[in-house]
Amino acid sequence: TVTGVTCLDEATVNGPVTVRPGATLIVTGSTVNGPITAAGAAGVFLADSTVRGPVRITGATDAVAVIGTEFIGPVEISGGRTGTDVPLVAGNSVTGPLRCTGNVPAPISLGVANTVRGPVAGQCASL
């Protein structure tokens, strides 16, 4: 369970990761063997990592960046209100569905496409 700011750098986590409302999770160069759930988190940053399990980021309030990560399972990013911090979903490999809905502003990829082996829906359809 993540409260405050938690960084996983070159780490391996076996089991679920839950990000509490107002908390921030930063994952770089790591492997998470289990689901990641973040409801009302301030920020979620997943970069150059592997996640084996579903990822659900809902209602983010500050920043979301999902970059260069391999996801084995569904990814959902929805209902975020991140103000001037535009959610970034770029250069990822997703084995499963990728769904982005109701985020203000909508996620962008900065021209770095995602590879998705599964259905893509909502705001992420063009990424």
Side-chain angles (χ1 to χ4, degrees):
T1 299
V2 174
T3 58
V5 176
T6 298
C7 299
L8 300 174
D9 184 25
E10 302 290 328
T12 299
V13 175
N14 295 312
V17 175
T18 302
V19 185
R20 295 282 182 214
T24 298
L25 175 65
I26 302 167
V27 179
T28 56
S30 296
T31 299
V32 177
N33 296 309
I36 296 176
T37 305
V44 178
F45 304 89
L46 306 174
D48 302 319
S49 296
T50 300
V51 179
R52 292 181 180 94
V55 174
R56 189 165 188 246
I57 303 167
T58 59
T61 60
D62 197 6
V64 174
V66 181
I67 306 163
T69 293
E70 179 183 10
F71 295 97
I72 302 163
V75 177
E76 176 187 351
I77 302 169
S78 63
R81 300 287 183 269
T82 56
T84 59
D85 288 318
V86 178
L88 182 59
V89 179
N92 300 293
S93 171
V94 181
T95 302
L98 172 62
R99 180 174 169 251
C100 302
T101 58
N103 297 289
V104 178
I108 62 171
S109 69
L110 296 176
V112 181
N114 297 284
T115 302
V116 182
R117 289 179 279 298
V120 182
Q123 296 168 312
C124 286
S126 64
L127 305 180

